[in-house]
Amino acid sequence: MNHIVAPCLKEQGLKEQGLKEQGLKEQGLKEQGLKDQSLKELDRPETPLLEGVDGMWAMLRAEAESVVVKEPWLRPFIDTAILLHHDFPSALGSLLARKLGDSYISADQLAMLVRSAVADAPCIVEEACSDLQAICTRDPAADNCLTPFLYYKGFHALEWHRIGHWLWRRERRDLAHFLQSRVSEVFAVDIHPAVPVGRGVFIDHGTGVVIGETAVVGNDVSILQEVTLGGTGKEHGDRHPKVRDGVLLSAGAKILGNIEIGSRAKVGAGSVVLKDVPPCATVVGVPARIVGWCRDTVPALAMDQTVPEPEYHI
């Protein structure tokens, strides 16, 4: 499997998945009597950018102004993070830089780096906005969008990864590795900078998430804490999982090797996946096996980690 997700494409549908996934989709749908659910529907993006960057920024400012009225002690922090900025990219870059700055590379230098990346690849901002919207939509603990913007380390780690991936593709790999190391130290999320990641991705909690060098993460994917997308040994080359659109990777799931997790699949908590997972399949166990199939929902959006009781066997 040598599929590649090019960064910053507005339609990151991963259409290079090819005939293999298409055949798996058809087989899975046929086996489960879901013939009326069209394959075209399965491929459509699931998290449109409803508000747009400007709309998201207006919402963040309104929520920030409300916070400083209710909690005056937070005004210096909220001013620095939101209210003193003129737009979403400026606020995001400043926040990320202050989270990661250290004695070697200052927050001011990192803020300049983010500005350079965004100027060269404006879609980084669109992807960040889509990621934030995904959190607001899928996380019941997020009662507004300001809270995850300010405090969710999964979001911060993912947006720093987008900067690191931008560096990686421009052959600035030493700095990309430095950022990967700092993100791992500060946020406990370790994503190799070579990994292409789609938009609308939600890394919930973030602690312990590890994604290896040749992995691919599609659009509208939800990843919970302690998930590993790893290899199976010390071999070189393409050796990590390919996670397609709409997939839910539940807490503690370990997906190992150059295998494919088909679109709208669900991997149960604590499972160890060593083989390809067909589109729409629900897999659980060690090693994981198919115990069910998706119906009308996208697992990554529904965020339902349960497994149907009649189909679950220990």
Side-chain angles (χ1 to χ4, degrees):
M1 300 177 192
N2 56 356
H3 308 305
I4 298 174
V5 178
C8 294
L9 295 177
K10 291 185 178 180
E11 297 296 332
Q12 286 194 359
L14 303 181
K15 296 187 182 300
E16 74 281 3
Q17 294 176 36
L19 295 177
K20 179 179 179 181
E21 178 168 332
Q22 188 75 7
L24 288 172
K25 282 181 181 177
E26 292 171 353
Q27 178 184 356
L29 293 175
K30 181 177 181 181
E31 290 176 355
Q32 296 304 307
L34 300 179
K35 296 178 182 178
D36 293 336
Q37 187 174 1
S38 70
L39 296 177
K40 180 178 179 181
E41 179 184 359
L42 289 177
D43 287 332
R44 72 172 184 266
E46 292 297 341
T47 308
L49 196 54
L50 299 176
E51 295 290 340
V53 176
D54 291 341
M56 178 63 76
W57 177 239
M59 182 186 303
L60 290 174
R61 286 194 61 89
E63 292 171 354
E65 290 166 353
S66 176
V67 167
V68 296
V69 171
K70 294 185 294 184
E71 194 57 81
W73 283 12
L74 287 177
R75 175 170 284 280
F77 170 60
I78 297 297
D79 281 349
T80 301
I82 300 290
L83 298 179
L84 294 179
H85 296 278
H86 61 280
D87 59 16
F88 182 82
S90 173
L92 178 65
S94 175
L95 179 70
L96 294 178
R98 284 184 285 106
K99 294 281 185 180
L100 218 62
D102 65 2
S103 58
Y104 299 106
I105 301 183
S106 70
D108 288 343
Q109 290 173 300
L110 290 175
M112 290 177 58
L113 175 63
V114 175
R115 286 196 294 271
S116 297
V118 167
D120 183 62
C123 52
I124 291 175
V125 174
E126 298 173 7
E127 292 165 349
C129 190
S130 182
D131 297 337
L132 182 57
Q133 181 177 294
I135 300 173
C136 301
T137 301
R138 302 176 208 169
D139 187 359
D143 52 5
N144 57 35
C145 288
L146 180 65
T147 297
F149 179 85
L150 294 176
Y151 306 123
Y152 279 25
K153 65 179 185 176
F155 173 70
H156 301 149
L158 177 56
E159 304 324 315
W160 264 124
H161 170 72
R162 296 193 185 282
I163 304 300
H165 187 62
W166 172 80
L167 289 167
W168 187 266
R169 289 177 58 84
R170 282 150 187 80
E171 301 299 330
R172 300 177 65 183
R173 297 188 172 182
D174 292 314
L175 183 53
H177 278 305
F178 176 87
L179 291 180
Q180 176 194 3
S181 176
R182 284 292 295 148
V183 168
S184 180
E185 291 172 5
V186 173
F187 303 125
V189 176
D190 194 354
I191 309 175
H192 193 283
V195 176
V197 177
R199 63 177 62 207
V201 173
F202 175 25
I203 300 180
D204 195 8
H205 301 292
T207 301
V209 168
V210 176
I211 303 180
E213 178 186 11
T214 61
V216 172
V217 178
N219 299 313
D220 299 307
V221 172
S222 291
I223 302 173
L224 279 84
Q225 68 272 14
E226 300 290 343
V227 164
T228 297
L229 303 181
T232 56
K234 63 179 183 179
E235 71 276 9
H236 293 279
D238 195 356
R239 61 195 183 278
H240 295 104
K242 312 300 180 278
V243 178
R244 304 308 180 190
D245 296 357
V247 169
L248 171 62
L249 303 178
S250 302
K254 313 300 178 185
I255 297 91
L256 305 177
N258 184 16
I259 61 176
E260 184 164 309
I261 311 300
S263 60
R264 297 195 183 193
K266 174 164 64 172
V267 179
S271 298
V272 177
V273 184
L274 302 174
K275 298 180 180 179
D276 289 349
V277 175
C280 277
T282 296
V283 299
V284 298
V286 181
R289 63 190 183 280
I290 296 173
V291 298
W293 301 87
C294 69
R295 297 291 179 174
D296 298 326
T297 61
V298 180
L301 306 188
M303 295 294 291
D304 179 6
Q305 297 188 67
T306 63
V307 176
E309 285 295 333
E311 300 177 285
Y312 183 75
H313 305 281
I314 296 177

